[in-house]
Amino acid sequence: MDKSAWSRRRKASVVSILGLALSPLVAGCAGVPGPAPPTTTTVTSEVTETMPQSEIWEWALGRNASADPALTGLASSLGRSSKTNILAHANGFELDLDDAGTVVAVVLYNDEDALGLPSSDTSFRAYAGTLPAGLTWRDTYGSVVTRYGPGDQQTGGWGTEHTVSYATTDGRRLEVTYAARHSAELPTSAIHTITVRLTAQG
């Protein structure tokens, strides 16, 4: 690929990344949502043909784990856990694939040992990169809902972890799952995972 073609592809990628900077739009929620989250993210300027130098959640969605050179190399180095998942326990992320091998969701993990979850050799460490929507692993349910509102979907409780889901400006989904399994624990509960998901239309 010549430099001009690569430059055009790079610019298109940056535009896509900035669109995925994940500003949740709180649709149909009670109350007044907080201010919109950041709409930009830091992206390293040098990009290689084999591995984009940006966050995994920024570039992996929509790529095919068998056909895309960057993902093929990543899957090979990490080891593919099944037909539908690539798990990177030490790196703190998971790639969920559809039947065709396309990445339809990227799951970022907080440190499961620090959260007090049962420890094993498959426990996830905290994802060390920049998180979507300006979130950090120090955030709690209370701080996120104060900033971005209660989302347009909430699930969990009664023994299962709570998840709050937001629509994003590019039509994707941002799902924030908290370690709390009961509503009494929820206000100060830490984030367990953050999922960036393609929608059916994405």
Side-chain angles (χ1 to χ4, degrees):
M1 177 182 299
D2 62 35
K3 286 188 176 179
S4 62
W6 176 249
S7 176
R8 288 193 301 274
R9 184 173 174 185
R10 168 67 180 148
K11 287 179 182 175
S13 174
V14 170
V15 169
S16 175
I17 287 169
L18 295 178
L20 182 62
L22 299 177
S23 172
L25 301 177
V26 181
C29 300
V32 178
T39 56
T40 60
T41 189
T42 302
V43 179
T44 305
S45 58
E46 292 183 13
V47 176
T48 65
E49 293 274 359
T50 55
M51 190 67 65
Q53 298 299 307
S54 55
E55 304 299 338
I56 188 73
W57 54 269
E58 292 175 310
W59 65 266
L61 278 174
R63 296 192 181 209
N64 189 280
S66 300
D68 186 278
L71 271 182
T72 301
L74 181 63
S76 174
S77 66
L78 295 175
R80 207 163 144 179
S81 303
S82 70
K83 283 187 171 184
T84 57
N85 299 90
I86 297 171
L87 304 177
H89 298 97
N91 301 96
F93 69 85
E94 169 186 337
L95 304 181
D96 293 344
L97 314 177
D98 65 12
D99 291 341
T102 299
V103 178
V104 293
V106 177
V107 186
L108 309 176
Y109 283 81
N110 199 351
D111 189 291
E112 294 188 317
D113 289 338
L115 290 174
L117 299 174
S119 183
S120 72
D121 58 357
T122 59
S123 294
F124 282 88
R125 299 197 177 208
Y127 180 75
T130 301
L131 302 180
L135 297 173
T136 74
W137 295 128
R138 296 183 302 279
D139 279 313
T140 63
Y141 173 86
S143 67
V144 176
V145 169
T146 296
R147 256 183 294 166
Y148 302 141
D152 54 12
Q153 296 176 27
Q154 288 204 26
T155 60
W158 304 100
T160 60
E161 291 188 328
H162 285 258
T163 298
V164 180
S165 181
Y166 299 88
T168 68
T169 54
D170 63 353
R172 299 182 182 186
R173 302 294 304 175
L174 180 66
E175 299 166 3
V176 185
T177 298
Y178 300 88
R181 293 177 180 271
H182 299 281
S183 57
E185 305 167 351
L186 193 55
T188 59
S189 179
I191 297 171
H192 181 191
T193 64
I194 299 169
T195 301
V196 185
R197 184 181 303 280
L198 286 177
T199 63
Q201 293 76 31

